[in-house]
Structure formats: structure tokens, C-alpha cells
Amino acid sequence: MRRIAIIGGGAAGLCCACALGEKNNGRASVTVFEQNDRVGKKLLTTGNGRCNLTNRAATVDAYPSAVRAFAMPALTRFSPESTIAFFEGLSLFTYTDDEGRVYPLSNQAAGVLDALRLEATRLGAAFCCDTPATALRSDKDGFLVGGQRFDVVVLALGGKAAVRDYPGETLLRGLGLPLTKTAPGLCKLRTDESLVKSLKGLRARAKLTLLLDGNEAAAEQGELQFADGALSGIALMNLSSVYARAALEKTVQAAVLADFVPTLSSEKLRATLGEIVRRSQREKCEDLLSGLLVKKLGVALLKRAGIRPDAPTASLTAAQLDALCAVCKRCVFQITGSGPMRDAQVTVGGLAQSGFDPATLESRNYENLYAIGEVLDVDGPCGGYNLQWAFASARLCAADIAERKL
Ligand SMILES: Cc1cc2nc3c(=O)[nH]c(=O)nc-3n(C[C@H](O)[C@H](O)[C@H](O)COP(=O)(O)OP(=O)(O)OC[C@H]3O[C@@H](n4cnc5c(N)ncnc54)[C@H](O)[C@@H]3O)c2cc1C
């Protein structure tokens, strides 16, 4: 009987244990090593405890261009529909919201974890919890993990995001596998405190454009949240990963442009503001934008345009109205860095794609060594895409092990 070790009992490791159990017909034993006292702790925190387990739109084109070619075989072979069907097979039923995000019907991440854990157990996987693997030795007879010998090893260590410590780093470095630099992804972006102080806690819908060295790198429409010296919200978090990937390669000047009135063109907005003033519909400037924006945000934008909120609207000049319109449509936030890794949802970077065969996820340096999930240099946007990668990569690796290694 072949012995298979999976290092890491998270989304990818558990899904891999299930897939190997389905396919091995008693030809292999599967042991999952997990550093925590229980498997799947991070899964419990996903989707605000609801676990957004995939997205109907999670096809390869939705992932960053830097990861598409590498992730293509896994994501093509195991689609979002496959994920939904896989969980239905485990009697875990789902619903899809109007943005394509798929959640368990119970709205509880614990249900997703139970489905994976119980299935892996039913199919014979053994769990070694409280067992961080800090070293992995390879010789002509296979691999040694935690004093036990294995024929095949799957690295499913996850990334550095939102974890206290990451013993896997020593293990990966010890193997000499190529690693890229890493940075927090799907996180806050830091900006000048004075620009956001008065808006802390406020949420607004906006079209956001990320400028890197003055060039448009990505755009997102959705929620922007103002935090302590930082910007957040789903749309902003998606841009944070684009920024992180660029900043890994070289120093970049970054800025986020916010269009707070994306449904009106600049011309239409300017005409609207002019009309409000002409018809004396609002007496004071602080009320000028109240039909378009949350009042607090309107007041902050007035100040940015150099207009006193308590000034009478009748005193506004055409140049001031032009300036206000420009600030509403292109409010600039200079970016000074990313939020900390402990608050990030995903790691940008990891095991270098060049070290693994994308068709199987087997290492190019070590035969019978595989990597799946977030430990690899693959990340996706917010909304179920990272778990979809974890599941799809796990299935691809398990299929290759079952086809060629057992
Ligand atoms: C707050 C939060 C919310 C999120 N929400 C979503 C969401 O709703 N939808 C979505 O798609 N993605 C979400 N993500 C991202 C998603 O959780 C991860 O991308 C996904 O869990 C990665 O799966 P993985 O199995 O590769 O890694 P993980 O799930 O992190 O699992 C890795 C496991 O390996 C263990 N481990 C690590 N090193 C060792 C070692 N040396 N020895 C033994 N065990 C080890 C860890 O303890 C962990 O249990 C969220 C992330 C965070 C932090």
C-alpha cells in the first residue's frame, strides 16, 4: 500500500484527502498533518463565518493575468459547478447570491468544514493534529515527515495571511523549492490619515481606479470603506492584490481614484450642480451634494475642493463648481502601503509557479511531491475565488496521484 502525507488540513488539504479517498480503492493510506489542534480553522472564518465557497464566475479569466496560465488546467477541470456538485454529493446544499457568490444553505462555514472533515474520515484519512511539520526529508525511499515515511507528499500549507506563525516557511526553504516574495492581498490600503480621518467607518459605493506609476492598472466598482488611515471594502481589496503583485517586483507610486458618482458623467454632474445653485434649491454648500451622496462624504469632498461647507451656495463661482465636480469624479488617495498580513485574506506570492507542472501540480524538483491551494503563487479576487482555487488544485493533484502514482 502506498503512503500519502498531506501537510496542512485546510480547505485544499481536506478536499485532497476526500478526492484521494474516492479514487484510491484501498491502494493508499492518507495521513493529514495539521499544526492546529483541529483541522480547517481558517475555513470557519471565511465569508464572515458563512464561507463563500465558490463563485459562479470563477473561471480562469477572472483570476489575475499573472496566475491564469498556471491555474488554467486545475480551474478548467474543476469548475464552480463541479464544486457545487461535489458538496451536494456530501449533502451540503448551497445557494447563489446576485453577485454569483455561493454559500451553504445553512449560512454556516462550520457546515462546510464538517462536510469535508467527515467525508475524509469516512474514506479512511487519518488526522495528526497539533503536529506542525517543520522539516521534510527526501531520499531514494521517499519522504520523511514527523518521523514517518511516505511515498507521496502533498504540500497544502496555505499562505501567511491571517495566521499567527507559519512554520511551513522553514520546511519550504529546507527543500530548496523556488519561492517568490510574498505580500498581503485582499487587504486594506494605507493612505494619508488626514484624507480619511473624518470619514472613519463610513461606507460608500464608488468606481475605483488603481493607478500604478500614473497608469491605470485595474478598476473595480463597489463598496469603499474608510478606516483608520486606510481604505477598505470589497472593491478596494480586489485592487490591493493588484498593487501587492506590482509592488513585489519593484517600487511603485500608487494612487486610488474614486468616482463617487459613477452613474453620472462629469458633464451631467456639473450641469446638475449648476442647476441646483441656479434654482437656489440648497442654501448652504454643505447641503449641495446631499441628494447625491452621504452628507459626511459630501462635506469632506467640499473641503477637498477648497469650499467652506457653511458658505452660501449663491457665492459659488463656476471655477469652484468645476473643482467640486472634479473631486467627486476623481478623488485621489495616494497609497502608502498595504494593510498587515494578519488582516489580509490571501497571500500574494508563495511557491513559484515555475517549480511545479501546472497539468499535475507535481514539483519539477522532486518526484512525488505536490503543492496545492494558497501555498502556491496563485491568488484570486474576493468572492469565493480563493476557495475555488483550493478545491480545484486539490482535485487536480489527487487525480494525478490516483492515475500515475498508485
Ligand atoms: C478572514 C478570511 C476570510 C476569507 N473568506 C474567504 C471566502 O469567503 N471565500 C474564499 O474563496 N476565500 C476566502 N478566504 C481565503 C481562503 O480562506 C484561503 O485562500 C483558503 O483557505 C486557502 O486554502 P488552503 O487549504 O490552501 O490553506 P488554509 O485553508 O490556510 O489551510 C492550510 C492549513 O495548513 C496548516 N499548516 C500550515 N503550515 C503547517 C505545517 N507546517 N504543518 C502542519 N500544518 C500546517 C494550517 O494550520 C492550515 O490549517 C478568506 C481568508 C480569510 C483570512
Side-chain angles (χ1 to χ4, degrees):
M1 186 184 274
R2 307 280 278 166
R3 298 194 55 179
I4 304 171
I6 299 174
I7 306 182
L14 291 173
C15 180
C16 187
C18 294
L20 284 169
E22 279 169 26
K23 293 172 196 288
N24 88 47
N25 290 328
R27 288 171 293 160
S29 68
V30 176
T31 306
V32 180
F33 289 90
E34 170 55 50
Q35 63 175 345
N36 291 325
D37 56 352
R38 286 186 293 146
V39 292
K41 273 192 170 173
K42 191 185 275 184
L43 254 181
L44 296 177
T45 66
T46 57
N48 285 325
R50 291 195 293 152
C51 185
N52 176 194
L53 53 93
T54 185
N55 193 299
R56 294 274 180 184
T59 56
V60 71
D61 293 340
Y63 287 74
S65 56
V67 313
R68 271 179 220 156
F70 183 78
M72 167 107 77
L75 292 170
T76 309
R77 188 170 170 148
F78 200 71
S79 66
E81 286 66 36
S82 314
T83 299
I84 293 164
F86 164 64
F87 278 103
E88 281 198 7
L90 307 185
S91 302
L92 187 285
F93 297 91
T94 59
Y95 71 92
T96 304
D97 75 6
D98 52 14
E99 298 197 44
R101 294 182 289 229
V102 179
Y103 293 93
L105 262 190
S106 66
N107 266 329
Q108 287 197 322
V112 178
L113 173 55
D114 281 350
L116 290 168
R117 188 178 52 81
L118 295 173
E119 181 68 353
T121 307
R122 186 183 74 81
L123 293 170
F127 295 110
C128 293
C129 292
D130 275 327
T131 313
T134 49
L136 173 62
R137 283 220 342 258
S138 150
D139 59 26
K140 63 176 179 29
D141 296 323
F143 299 93
L144 266 174
V145 189
Q148 299 181 50
R149 192 160 275 290
F150 293 93
D151 303 297
V152 177
V153 170
V154 180
L155 300 172
L157 281 67
K160 298 178 188 169
V163 293
R164 245 180 294 139
D165 56 316
Y166 192 64
E169 179 110 42
T170 328
L171 183 151
L172 299 177
R173 292 206 181 280
L175 283 169
L177 294 170
L179 284 159
T180 70
K181 289 187 209 158
T182 52
L186 301 184
C187 60
K188 292 175 189 166
L189 288 177
R190 293 201 303 274
T191 187
D192 184 349
E193 169 83 46
S194 64
L195 301 177
V196 289
K197 201 168 179 191
S198 66
L199 298 172
K200 194 176 147 191
L202 191 135
R203 294 161 191 254
R205 293 200 68 81
K207 179 179 174 214
L208 304 177
T209 305
L210 176 70
L211 296 185
L212 296 176
D213 291 333
N215 301 315
E216 185 173 330
E220 288 277 333
Q221 193 151 333
E223 189 181 86
L224 174 67
Q225 228 174 304
F226 295 91
D228 240 347
L231 302 171
S232 180
I234 289 176
L236 187 284
M237 279 159 62
N238 283 335
L239 298 184
S240 75
S241 296
V242 180
Y243 165 72
R245 202 163 270 283
L248 281 183
E249 281 162 27
K250 62 182 181 74
T251 310
V252 280
Q253 291 292 329
V256 169
L257 299 185
D259 176 351
F260 289 109
V261 202
T263 51
L264 298 187
S265 66
S266 294
E267 295 71 32
K268 176 78 180 157
L269 177 63
R270 176 65 180 81
T272 303
L273 295 179
E275 192 63 3
I276 296 170
V277 171
R278 195 184 62 77
R279 289 160 61 189
S280 308
Q281 279 184 331
R282 302 280 195 274
E283 196 188 329
K284 283 195 182 151
C285 288
E286 65 189 11
D287 296 318
L288 190 57
L289 295 170
S290 63
L292 293 161
L293 298 170
V294 176
K295 183 148 183 187
K296 218 170 169 186
L297 177 59
V299 168
L301 294 177
L302 281 166
K303 289 182 182 165
R304 274 247 198 163
I307 299 168
R308 279 186 32 215
D310 60 353
T313 47
S315 69
L316 284 173
T317 64
Q320 283 177 309
L321 282 174
D322 289 345
L324 181 58
C325 187
V327 164
C328 290
K329 295 294 287 177
R330 280 175 70 86
C331 190
V332 183
F333 298 93
Q334 296 297 341
I335 300 304
T336 54
S338 295
M341 195 63 110
R342 65 173 180 279
D343 293 343
Q345 287 201 5
V346 79
T347 316
V348 175
L351 281 173
Q353 296 169 9
S354 59
F356 292 82
D357 178 353
T360 61
L361 299 178
E362 187 174 18
S363 164
R364 295 192 193 278
N365 302 58
Y366 295 91
E367 204 184 345
N368 298 334
L369 180 70
Y370 291 77
I372 56 176
E374 199 181 313
V375 71
L376 283 160
D377 176 17
V378 174
D379 64 285
C382 216
Y385 297 83
N386 288 295
L387 284 173
Q388 178 60 28
W389 164 248
F391 298 140
S393 57
R395 298 294 299 203
L396 182 71
C397 152
D400 190 62
I401 294 173
E403 277 161 31
R404 296 196 303 123
K405 308 288 178 176
L406 301 184

